[in-house]
Every structure is written in C-alpha cells, then in structure tokens.
C-alpha cells in the first residue's frame, strides 16, 4: 500500500518524520494540508479509525487560539470533523497512512516499530 504522510511542511515534527522516512529508505508521498486541503471523506475515515481526541491537537497554538465557546463545542466526532475541515492545522501531526494502522505523531522509536511490524 502507498504510504502518505499528512501535515504541514514547516512543522518541526513533520520535518523529523519526513527526514526519518527518507533516511530509512521508505517511499512516501507528502500531503500538505495548507496547499492541498483536507477532503471530508479522508478526515471522516480517520475518525472511523481513531478517536477524535487523538486527532485533535489540544496542546497546539491553533487550538489555544480558538474562542472558548468553539473549544467547548467540540464534544464528539461530528464536531471534531467540522473543526478539522475548517482548521486542518488543529490536527495532530503528522498523520501516517499506509504503513499498518493509521498513525498520528512521530518519534524515531515509534516509526521503527511501525515499519518493523509492516515489513
């Protein structure tokens, strides 16, 4: 299956993931949320695989800059989907698809385990 890394190019964690994948010889496509957007069907499929609380980064600046009323309204998958579509920067990055189960975030150890299991 084709591997796709989703994120924003200037995000430090995304940069680390891209570097790790390249250094370890893994072919992947990079999907830039800012330039390429986020299709509703894709975001909805992610929410079928992972809890919205895993996908929505409530520690990042995008979340912190939301009005309190908007944050309080995010209580379920449907509300999270709308927020993710309005503001893809609120998604925890990177999202890796195509190397086993959908994966969110990055650490070298985490990716080493993912690709050892996928091999």
């Amino acid at each position: 299956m084709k591997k796709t890394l989703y994120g924003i190019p200037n995000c430090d964690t995304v940069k680390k993931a891209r570097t790790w994948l390249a250094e370890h010889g893994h072919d992947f496509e990079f999907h830039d949320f800012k330039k390429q957007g986020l299709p509703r069907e894709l975001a909805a499929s992610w929410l079928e695989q992972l809890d919205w609380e895993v996908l929505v980064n409530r520690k990042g600046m995008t979340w912190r800059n939301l009005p309190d009323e908007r944050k309080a309204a995010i209580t379920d998958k449907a509300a999270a989907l709308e927020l993710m579509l309005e503001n893809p920067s609120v998604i925890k990055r990177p999202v890796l698809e195509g190397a086993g189960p959908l994966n969110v975030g990055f650490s070298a150890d985490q990716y080493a385990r993912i690709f050892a299991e996928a091999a």
Side-chain angles (χ1 to χ4, degrees):
M1 183 177 185
K2 175 181 81 168
K3 294 173 205 71
T4 306
L5 190 74
Y6 296 87
I8 297 169
N10 63 348
C11 170
D12 288 340
T13 309
V14 170
K15 288 178 189 176
K16 290 175 188 173
R18 291 174 78 178
T19 299
W20 190 96
L21 290 167
E23 286 176 352
H24 290 84
H26 296 288
D27 289 331
F28 67 97
E29 288 185 20
F30 178 67
H31 182 101
D32 180 349
F33 290 148
K34 296 255 188 209
K35 291 184 180 167
Q36 296 169 275
L38 179 64
R40 176 178 288 277
E41 302 75 34
L42 180 62
S45 77
W46 291 352
L47 287 164
E48 291 302 317
Q49 298 171 64
L50 295 172
D51 191 286
W52 70 267
E53 295 184 68
V54 172
L55 284 162
V56 174
N57 181 5
R58 293 185 289 179
K59 294 179 182 171
M61 287 304 298
T62 302
W63 176 266
R64 284 185 273 172
N65 288 333
L66 291 172
D68 288 341
E69 314 81 60
R70 184 72 175 109
K71 290 184 224 177
I74 309 304
T75 58
D76 60 19
K77 188 178 357 182
L81 175 61
E82 294 309 318
L83 176 64
M84 290 165 57
L85 294 172
E86 289 167 24
N87 248 320
S89 297
V90 80
I91 298 170
K92 186 172 181 183
R93 302 176 295 269
V95 176
L96 177 64
E97 194 171 50
L102 189 65
N103 188 76
V104 178
F106 170 79
S107 77
D109 290 343
Q110 171 188 14
Y111 271 37
R113 280 192 307 276
I114 289 166
F115 285 95
E117 292 168 5

